[in-house]
Amino acid sequence: MQPIELKEGIYWVGAIDWELRNFHGYLTPRGSTYNAYLIIDEKITLIDTVKHHLYEEMIARIAQIIDPAQINYLVSSHVEMDHSGGIPRLAEVAKNITIVTSSRGETGLKNHYGQKWSFQVVKSGEVLPIGKRSLKFIHTPMVHWPDNMVGYLSAEKILFTSDAFGQHLASAERFDDELPRDIVMEEAKRYYANIVLPHSSQVIKAMQAVSGLEVELIAPSHGLIWRSRIPEIMAAYREWAANRTTETAVIVWDSMWGSTAKIARALQTAFENKGIRARMLPLGVNHISDVMTEVLTARYICVGSPTLNNGMLPTVSSFLTYLKGLAPKERVGLAFGSYGWGGQSISQVEEVLRSCGFELLDKIKVQYVPDQNTLQKITDNLQAKLP
Amino acid sequence: MTDHKYRCTACGYVYEPDAGDSPSGIEPGTPFEKLPDDWTCPVCGVGKDFFVPVIEEA
């Protein structure tokens, strides 16, 4: 278990979670890392810890550099347990440790772990001297926890961004240029879509707050450290946070006897005829978190469900609950589906899309099995509405 | 408008003028518009600019 030196005296000492495949409901096909960073100075400072079950891995890396008992400060960037879960055992070893956090961080850590540690609360803009270096903190509330803050080392130009710019990506590599670009950006996009998206307006504010800083390394709390693609990931975050989409569509549905799937294909044809790429995402084989990754950059969100027991299929309601919570904006929605009797599902889907604030195209509702004429009309009608 | 409730778009907290926000020293009866500019959401910490009026159905 080796540490990785980022700059002289500053090390990555985190843990690699090769087994993680599900992060509270978000699929993580490439695993993840929990990044902890050790700064060797007069006050030895550790930024965040790791998920509790990988504590030994973090300590083994730290022990290659110093005796963990010597750590003076533990900076908690936010309370979430994948980063704070190592604090209880660390505090038993490093008996004089002080936990440096925001005031909400102090409250949150006490609510998670009890009252037992010594805390030093830092305000936004406050600078903590740690020897020849100083660590500056900027609060970034709700990116993505109330207590979130980022840390900045001006001498080395390293910005420790907590979960912002993270990716769930387990790898032997530590830097963004050591893996193919598309893998890194795909995981950054998946992370944004599933974790950061609802906090986009706070992201814009946080990016303004750090915009004056010179940054050579972005050190997030998950995944690879950015050093070669900083302008690219910053530009991507600006696009995603502003809800800027491309003129593309996602068609998301589930079907019982194939009729709703037929409507999905009729919609696909309409988009194709207009030169708009449509991604087909049947919920029987696509996880809602992967669908969200596609939703992040698509302007048209078409959602279909047949009517079952006077409502929509549970797979579709699950997706819609997730979609609404992640709160993408500036989208165009379209509800569709087939039905046998009541046909309530289509209006229910439309109601959720409306409550998301989407502009709506006319919903499409077909009894039983749509014939060729009906499908052609669906295509023609949608095509007429598209730019 | 001054007795309107305001909702935090980040976390869902609702500021109720009748209740105020005593931990932040805001007296009951203080309209949202009269909160200091540096007042932040008592739950999640975002600023006043993330609040929207609560539209109550008649």
Side-chain angles (χ1 to χ4, degrees):
Chain A
M1 294 297 165
Q2 295 297 325
I4 304 288
E5 192 167 33
L6 309 183
K7 299 247 182 177
E8 198 184 344
I10 301 166
Y11 300 85
W12 175 87
V13 291
I16 306 171
D17 194 340
W18 299 96
E19 286 182 295
L20 185 80
R21 289 296 178 271
N22 186 318
F23 193 91
H24 54 56
Y26 147 33
L27 295 193
T28 54
R30 292 190 169 98
S32 193
T33 70
Y34 312 106
N35 296 338
Y37 299 97
L38 186 70
I39 306 168
I40 303 297
D41 211 316
E42 285 164 36
K43 297 284 188 186
I44 295 174
T45 302
L46 182 66
I47 300 182
D48 284 326
T49 66
V50 298
K51 215 166 176 176
H52 65 96
H53 72 286
L54 293 170
Y55 170 80
E56 312 266 354
E57 182 175 331
M58 175 188 77
I59 283 295
R61 292 187 203 278
I62 294 172
Q64 299 285 329
I65 309 162
I66 47 125
D67 175 358
Q70 296 179 316
I71 297 174
N72 302 100
Y73 288 132
L74 180 281
V75 175
S76 171
S77 75
H78 70 302
V79 174
E80 198 174 13
M81 286 184 284
D82 51 340
H83 309 291
S84 66
I87 301 177
R89 287 179 69 188
L90 178 69
E92 284 174 21
V93 177
K95 295 201 183 304
N96 296 318
I97 202 164
T98 298
I99 315 288
V100 178
T101 185
S102 63
S103 65
R104 284 191 173 80
E106 179 184 13
T107 307
L109 286 169
K110 285 179 175 171
N111 285 339
H112 276 70
Y113 303 105
Q115 304 286 328
K116 46 197 179 242
W117 305 318
S118 151
F119 284 91
Q120 180 169 342
V121 167
V122 287
K123 294 192 170 128
S124 193
E126 197 169 329
V127 174
L128 177 74
I130 57 172
K132 65 179 195 268
R133 300 180 184 83
S134 293
L135 195 49
K136 181 175 183 171
F137 299 103
I138 297 164
H139 289 195
T140 55
M142 294 312 271
V143 184
H144 66 129
W145 275 44
D147 52 300
N148 256 111
M149 59 183 198
V150 302
Y152 180 64
L153 280 177
S154 56
E156 285 86 0
K157 302 187 174 64
I158 305 177
L159 188 60
F160 299 93
T161 55
S162 190
D163 278 350
F165 308 112
Q167 330 96 51
H168 282 316
L169 177 51
S171 60
E173 294 76 11
R174 292 277 65 81
F175 293 99
D176 60 349
D177 48 31
E178 297 180 312
L179 280 180
R181 172 202 172 271
D182 290 356
I183 291 177
V184 183
M185 291 307 291
E186 181 186 10
E187 291 306 336
K189 181 182 177 188
R190 196 197 306 268
Y191 192 91
Y192 193 96
N194 285 280
I195 300 282
V196 189
L197 178 58
H199 311 294
S200 287
S201 46
Q202 289 85 44
V203 169
I204 292 169
K205 196 152 199 174
M207 287 182 73
Q208 285 164 354
V210 300
S211 63
L213 303 177
E214 252 186 277
V215 178
E216 284 180 11
L217 288 182
I218 290 180
S221 55
H222 294 288
L224 299 172
I225 295 158
W226 301 90
R227 69 177 175 192
S228 295
R229 304 188 187 284
I230 290 175
E232 186 174 1
I233 188 62
M234 295 289 265
Y237 259 59
R238 276 192 289 272
E239 294 286 303
W240 297 334
N243 274 284
R244 263 182 228 122
T245 53
T246 56
E247 195 68 5
T248 56
V250 293
I251 302 178
V252 186
W253 78 93
D254 205 352
S255 200
M256 292 164 67
W257 297 101
S259 294
T260 298
K262 284 183 180 175
I263 304 171
R265 283 189 283 274
L267 300 176
Q268 178 192 20
T269 304
F271 284 113
E272 279 180 358
N273 289 348
K274 288 298 228 174
I276 297 169
R277 291 183 190 180
R279 189 171 283 271
M280 305 294 277
L281 296 160
L283 286 167
V285 293
N286 286 283
H287 192 268
I288 56 174
S289 59
D290 292 331
V291 175
M292 277 313 301
T293 309
E294 300 301 330
V295 165
L296 183 61
T297 45
R299 175 159 162 76
Y300 300 94
I301 315 297
C302 309
V303 182
S305 176
T307 299
L308 172 74
N309 304 330
N310 297 332
M312 63 179 105
L313 288 179
T315 46
V316 179
S317 59
S318 160
F319 167 66
L320 287 173
T321 299
Y322 197 55
L323 173 79
K324 186 175 175 183
L326 288 166
K329 305 288 176 214
E330 315 282 330
R331 305 301 204 275
V332 179
L334 189 161
F336 66 96
S338 85
Y339 68 100
W341 310 285
Q344 297 92 331
S345 60
I346 298 98
S347 300
Q348 292 169 3
V349 169
E350 184 174 59
E351 208 35 59
V352 180
L353 296 176
R354 179 179 287 115
S355 73
C356 290
F358 298 173
E359 188 187 318
L360 294 176
L361 293 166
D362 294 341
K363 62 178 177 283
I364 297 160
K365 190 171 165 180
V366 178
Q367 192 173 26
Y368 294 120
V369 181
D371 61 17
Q372 205 46 51
N373 274 343
T374 308
L375 292 170
Q376 188 62 50
K377 267 187 209 151
I378 289 170
T379 300
D380 293 345
N381 287 345
L382 175 58
Q383 213 174 306
K385 295 275 167 58
L386 293 174
Chain B
M1 280 296 281
T2 51
D3 57 353
H4 260 70
K5 297 174 183 176
Y6 275 72
R7 184 173 55 83
C8 174
T9 55
C11 75
Y13 163 84
V14 174
Y15 176 76
E16 298 190 22
D18 290 347
D21 173 22
S22 56
S24 305
I26 305 297
E27 297 289 330
T30 308
F32 182 83
E33 292 77 5
K34 292 278 168 67
L35 293 172
D37 288 343
D38 61 354
W39 179 83
T40 57
C41 174
V43 173
C44 79
V46 301
K48 278 180 80 176
D49 48 338
F50 289 105
F51 279 72
V52 293
V54 176
I55 312 294
E56 290 183 44
E57 303 285 325

